[in-house]
Amino acid sequence: MNYILRTINLTKTFKEKQAVSNVNMNIKKGEIYGFLGPNGAGKTTIMKMITNLIKPTLGEIEIFGDKLTNKSYEILKRMGAIIEYPVFYDKLTTRENLELHCEYMGYYDKNQIDKVLNMVNLNGINGKAVKDLSLGMKQRLGIARAIITKPQLLILDEPINGLDPIGIKEVRNLLKMLNEEYGITILISSHILGEIEQIADTISVLNNGRLIEEVTMDSIRQLNTDYIEIITRDCTTAAYILENTLNISNFKIIDNNLIRIYDLKVSQSDISKTLILKGVNIEAINKKNSSLEDHFLKILNGGGINA
Amino acid sequence: MLKLMKLEMKKIKMSGYIKGALLANLIILAFLVLVTFASKSDGDIAFKGYSEMFLITGTFVRGTFSIFAAVLISRLIIGEYTNKTITLMFMYPIKRKHIMLAKLTIVIIFTFISMVISNIFSNFCMYFFNAFAKLFTDTLTVDMVAQNIISIFVYSIGYSFLSLIPIYVGMKRKSTSATIVTSIILSSILNGSFNGSSLSSIIIIPLILGIVGAVISYISIKDVEDADVVN
């Protein structure tokens, strides 16, 4: 497997408090890797270690096949990042900020500035000082700056903070485009599950500095089960009919008036018709999906934390 | 290195500081003239000769520009930490030590040049002012001028390194105000006169402190490569 980034037993201790402990993550080339976890789970600390801003206490990081050391300047050239929130030289204009960035990165294609500003829908604010921009605009400018040098690995720490719903959708589309058309591998963190769910190929769940799970979205989707939920006062009869008339064995009586059917070979309309014909009063019948959220809440709770 | 310095100057808009330095010069000059007039009306003469006049202009200029240096340090170095832009700088594929060295070099060069030029400028102006105001009747010899210029250079070298001392406090506290306050305290200790002489008038003291400044700034940046950037 071709990994662009791996961490091996990555650990960081701040004054005896372990912020990150034994994290092993594997990011494949060309994927969007979602980092999920509540606030303070250690997402930013890991990202800072990847960008060399913080040095690991133990363990190591391998990027582009090379071990990351204090002197890995060349590796930094191939990454673009927003850590925590995008910081700029506030008194300089948007364009000046991007120009400075290009100079420091050793990147000289000035046309690229207009191109990225266009990509994030920020054209026309060239001459504005960054301190006059809204948080959402800064967030976009941060993304523009991170992608201007066409990095191979893009690290985005909560990039949708402060964006409005339309902005969120635009950023999501932009990230997908960058991933698909330019083959940029993206590491994105968020505490908003729905966001990650929509774009990530692999998700890792982090809590209290530990990596609890690292799974591909495909396998999660398979895990997720659809079920039919029936609310009725006559649970016992309903259960009897389900089992004997409809030959459904995979169902569960949740409480006195709630049944969940996991076996979906009999359609919802057939179930309701049969039950009604047999004289069972149905108050409600619904098809439901145990969402990703349930899955993650389960994992986080399993880790002993009330998420 | 030169390129890094250029970028740094672009970042903080150095032209503003140059204008500031020019303005400071005019204020120093106005102040000197005011002091002479005030003391003249008291019947007490501020300067008894050129050597004394040069001493006082030098004190003013160096006091002013060592504080100026602290402002530059706060903006160039400490400000990057307080504004968190240092996280940006340290993600660039550039040795952190080089970035810091570029910043320090700007401070040293700016301080040195502004001290030398301002000192020569104010001496020059005061010479002409004296020609009109006739405060004293000393004659200025070529020897005196040469000696003065040498002392301006030597003092300015000492002072431009000495002005780096506040970095230590600034980096420890990550505070721009602490940096500037340190510089003000330092400058008043050095230039505060007692019976017409001050610590800095003993040339060896600024020179030693200059070496101290160089060492301290080295200590302040030596671990920057391995240090965590947390704030």
Side-chain angles (χ1 to χ4, degrees):
Chain A
M1 192 63 81
N2 203 349
Y3 292 113
I4 206 159
L5 189 148
R6 297 176 69 199
T7 67
I8 300 124
N9 290 328
L10 192 63
T11 302
K12 179 69 193 180
T13 314
F14 289 117
K15 289 183 187 153
E16 296 177 15
K17 189 189 170 284
Q18 229 165 48
V20 172
S21 23
N22 287 315
V23 168
N24 293 296
M25 50 188 257
N26 304 283
I27 303 181
K28 289 183 220 100
K29 197 169 188 287
E31 74 173 345
I32 298 183
Y33 189 97
F35 230 2
L36 195 67
N39 296 326
K43 303 185 294 272
T44 301
T45 308
I46 291 179
M47 286 178 156
K48 277 189 168 177
M49 284 195 272
I50 293 170
T51 48
N52 230 346
L53 290 174
I54 288 182
K55 318 294 177 185
T57 313
L58 283 170
E60 55 184 67
I61 300 170
E62 217 180 270
I63 305 181
F64 310 121
D66 289 320
K67 188 175 175 272
L68 188 74
T69 67
N70 286 357
K71 294 182 181 65
S72 306
Y73 301 106
E74 282 309 304
I75 288 180
L76 294 174
K77 240 181 198 168
R78 298 156 73 184
M79 292 199 280
I82 303 181
I83 306 288
E84 281 183 311
Y85 53 85
V87 285
F88 298 95
Y89 293 99
D90 279 353
K91 286 178 186 154
L92 303 182
T93 64
T94 317
R95 175 168 290 267
E96 283 170 332
N97 263 291
L98 293 180
E99 278 172 359
L100 264 179
H101 179 77
C102 288
E103 294 270 1
Y104 277 117
M105 290 296 276
Y107 188 85
Y108 298 102
D109 186 1
K110 288 280 157 71
N111 296 327
Q112 191 69 14
I113 293 180
D114 291 310
K115 219 170 130 191
V116 289
L117 283 175
N118 238 327
M119 274 182 180
V120 295
N121 263 335
L122 275 186
N123 29 2
I125 59 150
N126 266 327
K128 245 188 177 177
V130 172
K131 65 174 188 302
D132 298 328
L133 300 182
S134 70
L135 177 60
M137 284 164 124
K138 279 189 196 168
Q139 201 65 262
R140 287 163 196 238
L141 187 58
I143 295 173
R145 183 175 59 192
I147 62 178
I148 197 166
T149 55
K150 296 182 187 146
Q152 285 160 280
L153 175 63
L154 188 59
I155 297 168
L156 301 172
D157 193 2
E158 311 255 358
I160 53 158
N161 266 2
L163 291 179
D164 52 46
I166 299 170
I168 290 177
K169 197 167 173 227
E170 279 170 6
V171 166
R172 191 193 306 143
N173 291 339
L174 175 67
L175 295 183
K176 272 189 178 154
M177 191 273 281
L178 289 170
N179 178 249
E180 280 159 18
E181 282 179 32
Y182 296 90
I184 298 177
T185 310
I186 301 174
L187 167 60
I188 180 173
S189 82
S190 181
H191 57 270
I192 303 162
L193 175 72
E195 226 12 77
I196 295 278
E197 181 181 0
Q198 290 187 51
I199 58 168
D201 299 311
T202 304
I203 289 190
S204 70
V205 185
L206 213 67
N207 201 354
N208 275 356
R210 286 172 199 284
L211 197 132
I212 296 173
E213 191 178 35
E214 184 181 59
V215 276
T216 61
M217 276 304 289
D218 287 342
S219 65
I220 289 185
R221 286 197 189 98
Q222 278 168 12
L223 270 177
N224 279 344
T225 41
D226 292 339
Y227 57 87
I228 294 169
E229 201 173 76
I230 303 171
I231 300 174
T232 171
R233 269 184 225 143
D234 203 354
C235 247
T236 14
T237 328
Y240 180 80
I241 295 164
L242 285 177
E243 196 156 0
N244 295 307
T245 316
L246 291 164
N247 290 325
I248 298 170
S249 52
N250 190 4
F251 66 87
K252 199 169 168 186
I253 300 170
I254 308 291
D255 59 35
N256 282 336
N257 43 25
L258 187 66
I259 299 178
R260 277 183 189 168
I261 303 165
Y262 298 99
D263 192 342
L264 298 179
K265 63 175 190 277
V266 185
S267 75
Q268 188 179 333
S269 54
D270 283 344
I271 294 173
S272 59
K273 202 167 79 187
T274 316
L275 286 175
I276 289 165
L277 283 175
K278 295 275 180 185
V280 178
N281 278 327
I282 299 174
E283 276 170 32
I285 179 163
N286 281 312
K287 199 162 189 174
K288 290 219 167 155
N289 183 292
S290 116
S291 69
L292 194 59
E293 199 164 346
D294 294 339
H295 177 75
F296 285 113
L297 284 179
K298 215 160 60 197
I299 300 175
L300 289 175
N301 283 328
I305 283 87
N306 296 316
Chain B
M1 191 70 180
L2 215 60
K3 201 191 149 202
L4 281 180
M5 285 167 61
K6 244 190 202 155
L7 288 175
E8 290 290 346
M9 291 199 272
K10 201 169 150 191
K11 218 158 61 182
I12 62 161
K13 296 199 171 145
M14 201 65 187
S15 57
Y17 288 87
I18 293 169
K19 274 183 212 149
L22 292 177
L23 192 69
N25 259 307
L26 294 180
I27 294 171
I28 292 170
L29 201 61
F31 198 72
L32 284 170
V33 170
L34 208 71
V35 167
T36 10
F37 271 123
S39 58
K40 205 179 172 188
S41 63
D42 281 353
D44 172 33
I45 301 157
F47 321 120
K48 292 182 190 76
Y50 282 109
S51 58
E52 202 166 303
M53 191 181 84
F54 290 155
L55 190 77
I56 291 186
T57 51
T59 304
F60 269 110
V61 166
R62 286 188 288 272
T64 308
F65 285 100
S66 52
I67 292 169
F68 229 93
V71 174
L72 261 181
I73 290 169
S74 325
R75 181 77 191 280
L76 273 169
I77 300 171
I78 318 296
E80 295 251 30
Y81 282 92
T82 52
N83 297 331
K84 294 197 177 189
T85 43
I86 201 74
T87 57
L88 193 66
M89 291 305 298
F90 285 173
M91 275 196 288
Y92 289 135
I94 298 162
K95 258 191 160 177
R96 294 178 184 181
K97 255 184 205 151
H98 287 176
I99 293 176
M100 291 312 226
L101 216 57
K103 289 170 183 288
L104 290 177
T105 314
I106 291 174
V107 176
I108 294 169
I109 291 179
F110 178 83
T111 315
F112 177 74
I113 292 180
S114 54
M115 277 181 185
V116 169
I117 292 180
S118 306
N119 211 338
I120 291 175
F121 171 76
S122 43
N123 283 353
F124 191 73
C125 290
M126 286 308 282
Y127 172 77
F128 275 99
F129 173 66
N130 185 42
F132 288 108
K134 300 261 185 298
L135 299 170
F136 46 82
T137 47
D138 255 18
T139 40
L140 190 64
T141 61
V142 180
D143 229 32
M144 280 164 80
V145 173
Q147 212 170 36
N148 179 238
I149 286 179
I150 292 170
S151 101
I152 286 176
F153 271 84
V154 174
Y155 267 108
S156 299
I157 289 173
Y159 259 79
S160 39
F161 281 94
L162 176 161
S163 305
L164 298 179
I165 292 177
I167 281 186
Y168 186 74
V169 182
M171 284 289 270
K172 272 265 148 70
R173 309 274 308 258
K174 298 279 184 310
S175 142
T176 52
S177 42
T179 315
I180 294 169
V181 168
T182 312
S183 153
I184 292 173
I185 293 172
L186 195 69
S187 146
S188 28
I189 292 174
L190 280 172
N191 295 320
S193 67
F194 177 74
N195 273 347
S197 69
S198 66
L199 278 181
S200 72
S201 61
I202 309 161
I203 180 73
I204 195 74
I205 289 180
L207 285 182
I208 287 174
L209 285 178
I211 294 168
V212 170
V215 172
I216 270 185
S217 46
Y218 172 74
I219 290 170
S220 305
I221 66 163
K222 83 174 167 25
D223 293 327
V224 76
E225 222 75 50
D226 315 307
D228 286 347
V229 184
V230 273
N231 31 29

